[in-house]
Amino acid sequence: MNKNGISMAVIKRLPKYHRYLTELLNNDLDRISSKDLSQRIGFTASQIRQDLNCFGDFGQQGYGYNVKELLNQMNIILGLTKEFKTIIIGAGNIGQAVANYGKFEKLGFNLQAIFDTNPKLIGIKIRDIEIQDIDFLDSFLKEKHIDIGIICVPRINAQKVCDILVNNGVNGIWNFAPMDLVVPEEVIIENVHLSDSLLTLSCLMS
Amino acid sequence: MNKNGISMAVIKRLPKYHRYLTELLNNDLDRISSKDLSQRIGFTASQIRQDLNCFGDFGQQGYGYNVKELLNQMNIILGLTKEFKTIIIGAGNIGQAVANYGKFEKLGFNLQAIFDTNPKLIGIKIRDIEIQDIDFLDSFLKEKHIDIGIICVPRINAQKVCDILVNNGVNGIWNFAPMDLVVPEEVIIENVHLSDSLLTLSCLMS
DNA sequence: TAGATTGTTAATCGATTAACAATC
DNA sequence: TAGATTGTTAATCGATTAACAATC
């Protein structure tokens, strides 16, 4: 269980619903049945109906689901109707890649600042945002409310950075460092462990 | 079920075992009990014993597990004792970040080539590998056996690139494009859907 | 109305946890 | 030997699938 009693298994499927509903809308489809969606998305029709019913009665018997309405609901469920202020800590390869990924801005994630330790990077601008010295991270956070910290620093520094974020009220962490961070239970962590992902692939191929 | 009857739930935990065992070895620990590992890694002791027993009897009653031996076994299970030849298709932000990530080489993933469509990128070298025109992808694959294709192209081109890879015998795909690729069932796909991950975070925070 | 499809309950399946005999 | 800890079976828990009455 998690978040109003919705299981993690369900939550992990929601972004995929969002992705497919967006595609349906782009293809000008007005409505979709659980059976039809099932064939596209690869979940069973039964599972789709159960998943959606965790959040409300969005469908209509004999008709199915209205694509536009369902996508609107999904936007609300996923928190995409509000803006999140974000910062990136670590402007190496991954940090820069995330900073340059314009799609996130469109979804409502506003990048407010980028920090690094490397003197060669400090002062350089990425998409109009100047990379700052990480020494200013703490004071920056004391002045400005930030929702999500995106940790792209090396493993060795990740917990230290994380502590600074959490101590200054940052409640969401998107962690690209290859380790498990320790945080109070009210703080939400979402990990992107690239090497874990690659090892899963090589395991399945072996 | 999957891969010799090992469930996906188990497989997804294996990289984490690998990560923690590596750390234990770096800390010069000779042995570890399931109970002790449980406290560090966050799985139950029971689950750890069950997971490991999918692959063999690596432990010893009254003693626990030998860290070095268990890590060796984990390396074999994860396919890290052999080399994988890889190529990256798409040398944008993500493609470059992956190309520059030295850790993967150490794990046995040998980057053989990088492809892109952008004339401004073609010819540039990343870690001694010159970015080639994607028009040469097909003929390159016909000459050289590649195990894993790393797809970092925009969504719109991802399936096309994937088809070229699969038609030339590439059996593993590490997919960074935000979509689900269609492949024959013998081909293994591991997705890194960054936007799905970010949406999961924002959902949990909402 | 008749057909289609939902919402929801019950049945099944799979994964996790608990328990304990085996044994180092 | 006595204590510790595994490997493994049984019990529990949770997630998925099937079924169908409700109803658009």
Side-chain angles (χ1 to χ4, degrees):
Chain A
M1 293 288 212
N2 212 308
K3 203 215 179 195
N4 318 323
I6 310 296
S7 83
M8 205 57 188
V10 174
I11 290 175
K12 285 283 177 189
R13 280 192 291 271
L14 298 178
K16 195 164 170 181
Y17 286 113
H18 185 265
R19 203 146 36 82
Y20 278 79
L21 287 168
T22 303
E23 200 191 323
L24 292 175
L25 194 69
N26 287 343
N27 292 349
D28 292 319
L29 266 83
D30 288 336
R31 64 167 169 146
I32 188 93
S33 68
S34 57
K35 191 184 163 196
D36 193 354
L37 184 56
S38 166
Q39 280 158 358
R40 296 164 184 260
I41 206 170
F43 308 147
T44 64
S46 201
Q47 185 166 56
I48 291 169
R49 293 201 299 278
Q50 282 229 353
D51 283 354
L52 298 179
N53 269 90
C54 292
F55 303 97
D57 291 9
F58 304 139
Q60 195 173 67
Q61 281 99 331
Y63 174 87
Y65 300 85
N66 179 289
V67 173
K68 201 166 195 171
E69 193 196 308
L70 188 54
L71 182 55
N72 281 340
Q73 291 294 339
M74 200 51 72
N75 279 327
I76 295 168
I77 294 163
L78 290 172
L80 297 179
T81 52
K82 49 178 179 262
E83 302 246 306
F84 290 93
K85 290 195 195 308
T86 71
I87 58 171
I88 292 173
I89 309 96
N93 297 309
I94 288 284
Q96 288 192 29
V98 174
N100 279 310
Y101 204 33
K103 187 176 175 186
F104 300 144
E105 292 286 333
K106 282 178 206 137
L107 291 167
F109 299 89
N110 281 157
L111 184 57
Q112 301 286 312
I114 306 172
F115 296 89
D116 204 294
T117 49
N118 187 342
K120 286 179 186 162
L121 291 173
I122 294 165
I124 289 177
K125 279 191 175 178
I126 302 181
R127 294 168 85 252
D128 281 334
I129 298 171
E130 199 171 293
I131 299 173
Q132 297 179 56
D133 192 316
I134 207 166
D135 286 344
F136 298 140
L137 175 60
D138 191 80
S139 58
F140 174 89
L141 289 168
K142 284 186 167 50
E143 270 181 34
K144 193 152 194 167
H145 175 74
I146 293 295
D147 301 293
I148 295 174
I150 306 174
I151 298 184
C152 304
V153 299
R155 179 192 159 80
I156 192 80
N157 300 320
Q159 185 63 58
K160 199 170 59 189
V161 165
C162 180
D163 291 343
I164 297 173
L165 293 169
V166 169
N167 288 335
N168 286 288
V170 175
N171 276 312
I173 306 276
W174 202 21
N175 175 42
F176 286 78
M179 66 173 300
D180 302 307
L181 298 166
V182 180
V183 293
E185 62 174 334
E186 72 271 16
V187 176
I188 312 291
I189 295 210
E190 171 71 16
N191 290 304
V192 179
H193 288 335
L194 291 184
S195 39
D196 284 19
S197 174
L198 187 55
L199 294 202
T200 302
L201 176 60
S202 92
C203 179
L204 290 169
M205 290 177 71
S206 299
Chain B
M1 293 287 212
N2 212 310
K3 200 212 180 195
N4 317 325
I6 310 295
S7 83
M8 205 56 190
V10 173
I11 290 175
K12 285 285 178 188
R13 281 192 291 271
L14 297 178
K16 195 164 170 181
Y17 285 114
H18 185 264
R19 202 144 38 82
Y20 278 79
L21 287 168
T22 303
E23 199 191 323
L24 291 175
L25 195 69
N26 287 341
N27 292 349
D28 291 320
L29 265 85
D30 288 335
R31 63 167 169 146
I32 187 92
S33 68
S34 57
K35 192 184 163 195
D36 193 352
L37 183 55
S38 167
Q39 280 157 0
R40 296 164 184 260
I41 206 170
F43 308 147
T44 64
S46 202
Q47 186 165 55
I48 291 169
R49 294 201 298 279
Q50 283 229 353
D51 284 353
L52 298 179
N53 269 90
C54 292
F55 303 97
D57 291 9
F58 303 139
Q60 195 172 67
Q61 281 100 329
Y63 174 87
Y65 299 85
N66 180 289
V67 172
K68 200 166 193 169
E69 193 196 308
L70 188 55
L71 182 55
N72 281 341
Q73 291 295 338
M74 200 52 71
N75 280 327
I76 294 169
I77 295 163
L78 289 172
L80 298 179
T81 52
K82 48 178 178 260
E83 302 245 308
F84 289 94
K85 292 197 194 307
T86 71
I87 59 171
I88 292 174
I89 308 94
N93 297 308
I94 288 284
Q96 288 192 29
V98 173
N100 280 308
Y101 204 32
K103 186 176 176 185
F104 300 145
E105 291 288 333
K106 282 179 205 136
L107 291 168
F109 299 90
N110 283 159
L111 184 57
Q112 301 286 312
I114 306 173
F115 296 88
D116 204 294
T117 49
N118 187 342
K120 286 177 185 162
L121 291 174
I122 294 164
I124 289 177
K125 278 191 178 179
I126 302 180
R127 298 169 82 251
D128 281 332
I129 298 171
E130 197 170 296
I131 299 173
Q132 297 179 56
D133 191 316
I134 206 165
D135 286 345
F136 298 140
L137 175 60
D138 192 81
S139 57
F140 174 90
L141 289 169
K142 284 187 165 51
E143 271 181 30
K144 192 153 194 167
H145 175 74
I146 293 296
D147 300 294
I148 295 174
I150 306 175
I151 298 184
C152 303
V153 300
R155 178 191 158 82
I156 192 80
N157 299 320
Q159 184 64 56
K160 198 171 56 189
V161 166
C162 179
D163 292 343
I164 297 174
L165 293 170
V166 169
N167 287 337
N168 287 288
V170 175
N171 276 312
I173 306 276
W174 201 21
N175 175 41
F176 286 78
M179 66 173 300
D180 302 308
L181 298 167
V182 180
V183 293
E185 63 175 335
E186 72 271 16
V187 175
I188 311 290
I189 293 210
E190 171 71 17
N191 290 305
V192 179
H193 288 334
L194 291 184
S195 40
D196 283 18
S197 174
L198 186 55
L199 295 202
T200 302
L201 177 60
S202 93
C203 178
L204 290 169
M205 290 178 71
S206 298

